[in-house]
Structure formats: C-alpha cells, structure tokens
Amino acid sequence: MTGIHPFRVLRAKPLWIANGVITGVLALLFAVFYVGANIDPADHLTKLPVGLVDADKGAAVGGERVDLGARIAESIEKSTANGDKIDWKMLDEKEMKEEFGKGKLFGALVVPADFTSSVLGLTDTADTTTPARPTLTVLTNQSAGSVGSGLARTATTRAAENASFQVGKDLTAQTGARQAKLPAAARVLLADPAAVTVEDGHPLDSHSGLGMTAFYYALTLVVVGMLSANVISGQVDHALGYTHNDMGPVRRHRPLIRATRVQTLVISSTLMAGLSLLMGTLVMAGAVGIMGMDASHLPLLWLYSVCAVAVAGIGALTLLAVFGTPGMLVVTLVFIGMAVPTAGATTPIEALPGFYRFLAEFEPLRQITAGVRSILYYDAQGDAGLTRGWVMMAAGLLAAALFGFGVLGWYDRKGLHRIPAEPEPEKTAAPA
C-alpha cells in the first residue's frame, strides 16, 4: 500500500499486544529466576557440607581419660540448632584436606590435638602464670563459592562458640570450690575457654577473583557460544539467500540456494564447531594472557574452553532453528535467565529453593562451571567437577542433536519449508 506513513503502524493494537506479552513475560521470568533464587539463601539452606575434625588426643586426669574434643564433636553432631541446614561430616585432617581440595566442603571446624590438655591447664591451681587460651579453628573455602563459604563460616563459628560455652559450664561445675585458688585470668577464661580463629582452608592465588574467576570464565564461554550462534545463524541464512544482510546503510542479498532445515542446521553447526577453535583460544588468551587470570593445566583449559563454546553454540543454534524468531528469547532464558542463578557460583545449590535445585541438575552453565573450577582450583581432578563437566557437555550435545534434527526432520517431511517451493507452471495443450 502506498501513501501510508510508516508511523501509522504504531496505531496497530496487535503490534503493541504481541510485543507487550513477549517483553512482559521476559521481564517477569528474569525477575523470578534472578531475585527468587537469591532472596533468602539462609532460609533455604539444606545440608550444606561442612567438615568436623576432632584431632584432640585427650589427657589423663586422676587416672581417668578425658577427651573434650570428642565431647564437642558429639554435641555438634547431635545439635538440632541448625536443623538439617548443615551436613556435618566427621573427617580426619587428611580427609578434610582432600575434600577441601575437591571443593566438596564449604568450611570445617577443627579441634586441635592439644585442646583437652590446654583446657585442663586452666584449672591448674599450681600454675600462677597467665594461661594460654585453647583454640578452635574455623576453616573457610572461598573456592567453593563465597556465599556458601560465608554461610558455613557463620554456622561453624556459632557451633564452636556454643561448644566452648558448654565446655566452660561443665568445667566450672567440676572445679567447684577450687575456682577460688585459680588465677584471676584463668577464672575468666574458664567460663568460655576456647578462642575461635578463622583461616582459609584452601588458599587461592591472588588473581583468582576470590574464587569467582571460574564462574566468570565459564559464563564467558557460554555467552560467547550463545551470541555467536545468533551471528552464525544470520550469516548462514544470508549466504543461502534467505535473508538480506545490512551493513550500515548497505544492503546485500545473495541468490537463493534452497536448503532443507536439517541441511541448514548442519551447515551452521559445522561453522560453529570450526570457529569454536578460534573463540575458545581467544577467550583463554584474553583471560589468562592479557588479564593475568591465575590458571594451570593450560592445554586442558584450552580444550575444555573450545568444547564448551562449541556445545553452547550448537545448543543455541538448535533452539534458533526449531523455534525460529522466538528462539533467541528461548536461548536467553535457557543459557542466561535460568542458568546464572543455578550455576552454584554465587549462591550454593544447597541454599536454593527446590525448583532451582532441579534446574541446576541440567542447566549448562553449572556443568561448565564445575569443570572450569576443577581445572583452575582443584588440580583438574575428575571428581572435583571435571568429569561431570565433560559428561554433561556430551549429554547436552547429544540432546541438542536428537531434538534439533528430530524436529527439523519432521518439519522437512511435512513440507514446512522456510520458502515454499514454487509451483510448476501448468502445461497448456498444444493447439489442434
């Protein structure tokens, strides 16, 4: 139609309704996923793994064996103050270090070897020197996630303080009249004998972002793959002649090369797989080479980066091919909207509501983050997340192939081509 001003399309109600519904739903979903997942981690906390190490060797008093460390460990295990929020794991020191080195613990409470003897030293009336205060050590693990480490630190510190008060109460009752003979400093310490110290249980290098570089690196890989899929999809459509290509004021168009939907996805995926070598290399070069991110196992990190970009990109291409124009919204929700809150990097999985924990089982960013964290922080150990990362990436690639080629093959068989085939001209009968 001619003579109609372009601005008149703004008067079309369907234009406002369609875009309003799409953008409104997108805004609501992002608010639910981002804010809902992190609004109250402490309240949703369930079975956060925290180590409990009793290294106390005990002491002999009046012919009897006294082991205050065992009492503390038993009281903490039986305590209902934290409900099921903390999953206390009884470990020895070697086991604790191994678990810290795999990111399996968010924190730990350590009762030292001389704890009983140090506490009982406070009741020694013959010792007139200033008594040394026994210590309970709280270990944190930022490499497993700063929020999770903070929650573990709070719960563990509270447990240590409660244990100290209980030990002090028992000792005060046992000493009775002997307290008057104790030095003044010892009487003060007797009510709360143990000092609580906080240390880093798994120190990271200075350029590790306080345990966040693994998450941001993995997020970069996913976003690069996702955005590249959008670019590649458009460029393949242009190369086949299905769409125009606008470069500023210049519009280019190629002759149409008919391709089935399956063939188009194969072309796009092949291009993504090849270019992932470049993208994965440049992501690592930018993060490690230019910005100085601390990293080891560089060949493995490079291979993992390339594969992560390829899998994320092919997955995004599949959704774009299946859903068409709305596909980019689906891709954004799957790879960003639902993925970031469930990655377990900022808020631990154990502190998420049940629905988000379900999403975390298969959301791609969490799986990729687990592998990157293992490579950067845990010496590339398989059971520290690397094996899960590889397996879930393979599963994701397989799922994308089955879903994409299955649906697109059905489109093709039904004749749902992107541009319908032109009907053949009717043959006219020759004149008699």
Side-chain angles (χ1 to χ4, degrees):
M1 297 174 65
T2 60
I4 298 178
H5 198 283
F7 286 169
R8 289 196 64 181
V9 299
L10 292 174
R11 298 171 60 180
K13 290 183 180 180
L15 181 66
W16 287 93
I17 293 173
N19 285 280
V21 169
I22 294 172
T23 56
V25 169
L26 191 64
L28 178 62
L29 289 177
F30 263 80
V32 169
F33 287 129
Y34 273 60
V35 180
N38 299 284
I39 200 167
D40 193 359
D43 184 60
H44 293 117
L45 189 63
T46 304
K47 296 189 179 301
L48 188 75
V50 177
L52 181 56
V53 178
D54 175 21
D56 189 12
K57 296 181 179 179
V61 179
E64 294 185 4
R65 184 75 178 171
V66 178
D67 192 340
L68 297 180
R71 290 189 200 176
I72 289 176
E74 184 179 0
S75 67
I76 290 176
E77 280 192 301
K78 292 181 178 179
S79 174
T80 58
N82 290 312
D84 62 349
K85 293 182 180 296
I86 302 298
D87 181 15
W88 294 103
K89 297 183 177 295
M90 284 296 301
L91 305 167
D92 58 33
E93 290 185 278
K94 181 181 178 181
E95 292 171 334
M96 179 202 67
K97 291 179 180 179
E98 291 176 350
E99 294 292 280
F100 263 92
K102 297 176 182 178
K104 303 290 187 181
L105 297 176
F106 286 90
L109 175 60
V110 179
V111 182
D114 62 347
F115 184 73
T116 296
S117 59
S118 298
V119 171
L120 294 180
L122 300 177
T123 65
D124 187 356
T125 58
D127 188 357
T128 59
T129 61
T130 302
R133 193 178 188 189
T135 60
L136 295 171
T137 303
V138 170
L139 298 178
T140 60
N141 189 8
Q142 283 192 328
S143 67
S146 56
V147 174
S149 180
L151 291 169
R153 172 178 175 171
T154 300
T156 308
T157 301
R158 185 181 299 117
E161 292 172 345
N162 291 339
S164 177
F165 279 120
Q166 186 59 49
V167 169
K169 183 179 179 181
D170 293 343
L171 289 177
T172 299
Q174 291 172 10
T175 55
R178 286 192 297 144
Q179 290 188 57
K181 300 179 182 180
L182 295 175
R187 290 198 300 271
V188 172
L189 291 179
L190 195 60
D192 182 17
V196 179
T197 62
V198 179
E199 300 177 5
D200 193 345
H202 186 72
L204 296 174
D205 295 325
S206 59
H207 289 184
S208 296
L210 300 177
M212 291 298 291
T213 50
F215 167 69
Y216 286 115
Y217 189 89
L219 179 61
T220 301
L221 297 175
V222 170
V223 169
V224 166
M226 181 190 78
L227 295 180
S228 298
N230 193 44
V231 173
I232 289 173
S233 177
Q235 292 301 311
V236 168
D237 282 348
H238 170 64
L240 293 173
Y242 282 93
T243 61
H244 298 283
N245 191 12
D246 291 329
M247 303 293 290
V250 180
R251 167 166 285 199
R252 293 189 174 94
H253 188 68
R254 294 179 180 273
L256 178 63
I257 302 174
R258 290 192 176 276
T260 65
R261 293 178 183 269
V262 168
Q263 288 171 338
T264 303
L265 181 57
V266 170
I267 295 169
S268 300
S269 298
T270 302
L271 196 59
M272 174 62 74
L275 291 179
S276 65
L277 294 168
L278 172 66
M279 292 183 282
T281 300
L282 292 178
V283 168
M284 193 176 83
V288 179
I290 298 175
M291 302 310 299
M293 182 184 78
D294 286 316
S296 56
H297 304 282
L298 294 183
L300 178 60
L301 180 62
W302 173 82
L303 178 62
Y304 192 86
S305 301
V306 169
C307 291
V309 171
V311 171
I314 292 173
L317 284 170
T318 298
L319 295 175
L320 290 170
V322 169
F323 293 103
T325 301
M328 196 58 200
L329 297 178
V330 178
V331 169
T332 303
L333 285 174
V334 171
F335 287 92
I336 300 297
M338 295 187 295
V340 172
T342 59
T346 51
T347 302
I349 304 301
E350 293 82 0
L352 294 175
F355 172 68
Y356 300 90
R357 296 186 195 191
F358 167 72
L359 291 179
E361 291 301 316
F362 55 84
E363 269 296 325
L365 182 56
R366 185 205 172 189
Q367 326 309 328
I368 294 174
T369 300
V372 174
R373 182 182 283 133
S374 174
I375 296 172
L376 295 184
Y377 306 153
Y378 306 131
D379 200 28
Q381 297 178 82
D383 56 350
L386 185 56
T387 298
R388 179 187 178 91
W390 284 120
V391 170
M392 293 303 288
M393 279 201 294
L397 186 61
L398 178 62
L402 293 175
F403 176 66
F405 291 117
V407 174
L408 296 179
W410 181 80
Y411 288 169
D412 288 335
R413 289 193 299 273
K414 290 294 184 180
L416 302 174
H417 303 298
R418 301 179 66 189
I419 296 180
E422 297 178 359
E424 295 183 3
E426 296 183 4
K427 294 182 179 179
T428 57

